[in-house]
Amino acid sequence: MFAETQHNFELFYKSGALPVLLSTAGVSKSQENINRPNGITTHHFLWILDGEGVFESGDLTFVLKEGTGVFFKAHTPHKYYRTTPLFKTAWFTFYG
């Protein structure tokens, strides 16, 4: 599942709405390995639904086990990858 919103940032920020704007949300039944040396333009929450992987950002490395999650800020270099055959994730990205 994948969904993306269309937005007018200037109107959003001037409206006084909540200080966050959803960009994407989804579930990956077979999460691919991700390497983003420059990060992405949005903040990102990632949850591990099944399986196990590793998250790396700068000098930080930790194991992502089922039931855990990670938050990373926009423009933060990072990568995450599977360490088990099954690596199911859910995520959402947002501005704010």
Side-chain angles (χ1 to χ4, degrees), residues 11 13 16 18 22 24 27 32-34 40 43 59 61-64 71 80:
L11 180 61
Y13 289 114
L18 291 174
L22 182 67
T24 66
V27 171
E32 63 187 41
N33 295 337
I34 299 293
I40 58 175
H43 303 301
D59 294 337
T61 299
F62 61 91
V63 175
L64 299 169
F71 165 76
Y80 49 95

Side-chain angles (χ1 to χ4, degrees), residues 13-63:
Y13 289 114
K14 287 181 180 179
S15 73
L18 291 174
V20 297
L21 178 64
L22 182 67
S23 177
T24 66
V27 171
S28 176
K29 293 181 180 179
S30 183
Q31 176 65 57
E32 63 187 41
N33 295 337
I34 299 293
N35 183 9
R36 297 184 177 118
N38 298 312
I40 58 175
T41 59
T42 59
H43 303 301
H44 192 145
F45 277 104
L46 176 74
W47 289 274
I48 311 310
L49 302 176
D50 205 349
E52 191 172 291
V54 172
F55 175 83
E56 297 178 8
S57 180
D59 294 337
L60 177 67
T61 299
F62 61 91
V63 175

